[in-house]
Amino acid sequence: VQLQASGGGSVQAGDSLRLSCAASGSVFTVYAMAWYRQAPGEQRELVAQITSDGNTDYADSVKGRFTISRDNAMTTVDLQMNSLKPEDTAVYYCNAGYIGTVGNTYYPQYWGQGTLVTVSS
């Protein structure tokens, strides 16, 4: 599966951004989807995940501010980011993968290219 992310940019703290990821090349509904991010000098971290039927989970740092959604007909997955903070600054990556049957663990499989989000104070 090929993934193409878009929507990054430079914003002020408190602003909103919407990232979008278009998937192609495979059966979209087979996959759970997720957004990761990687800040400079940091490890890549899971931000949000969504199952094929729309169940979601979020990192504690973004709960209540970020919303992941998917459109299975359009084969897209979006990340609505509100009340952005400088610590949200990172390269954001779209991923297609699987969620295990025990513990809701997400297993990344396919990566899109990153899109940079910069939040200034």
Side-chain angles (χ1 to χ4, degrees), residues 34-57:
W35 286 93
Y36 284 74
R37 68 185 180 187
Q38 187 167 19
E42 303 287 334
Q43 290 192 341
R44 194 170 296 189
E45 65 170 344
L46 178 62
V47 174
Q49 63 187 59
I50 186 167
T51 65
S52 59
D53 57 358
N55 293 313
T56 60
D57 201 7

Side-chain angles (χ1 to χ4, degrees), residues 25-82:
S26 188
V27 179
F28 185 67
T29 53
V30 167
Y31 299 99
M33 300 295 296
W35 286 93
Y36 284 74
R37 68 185 180 187
Q38 187 167 19
E42 303 287 334
Q43 290 192 341
R44 194 170 296 189
E45 65 170 344
L46 178 62
V47 174
Q49 63 187 59
I50 186 167
T51 65
S52 59
D53 57 358
N55 293 313
T56 60
D57 201 7
Y58 298 91
D60 288 343
S61 59
V62 306
K63 279 181 181 176
R65 299 188 299 122
F66 289 13
T67 302
I68 188 171
S69 60
R70 66 188 290 164
D71 185 329
N72 288 336
M74 298 299 292
T75 66
T76 57
V77 58
D78 290 352
L79 185 69
Q80 177 66 41
M81 305 184 294
N82 297 330

Side-chain angles (χ1 to χ4, degrees), residues 6 16 18 23 33 35 57 73 75 83 85-86 92-93 97 99 106 109-110 116 119-120:
S6 61
S16 298
R18 189 175 184 89
M33 300 295 296
W35 286 93
D57 201 7
T75 66
S83 302
K85 304 175 181 180
Y92 284 72
Y93 297 90
I99 294 176
Y106 184 86
Q109 298 293 314
Y110 301 98
L116 177 62
V119 184
S120 56

Side-chain angles (χ1 to χ4, degrees), residues 91-113:
V91 177
Y92 284 72
Y93 297 90
C94 176
N95 184 274
Y98 300 95
I99 294 176
T101 56
V102 178
N104 203 37
T105 300
Y106 184 86
Y107 297 94
Q109 298 293 314
Y110 301 98
W111 295 96
Q113 93 292 356

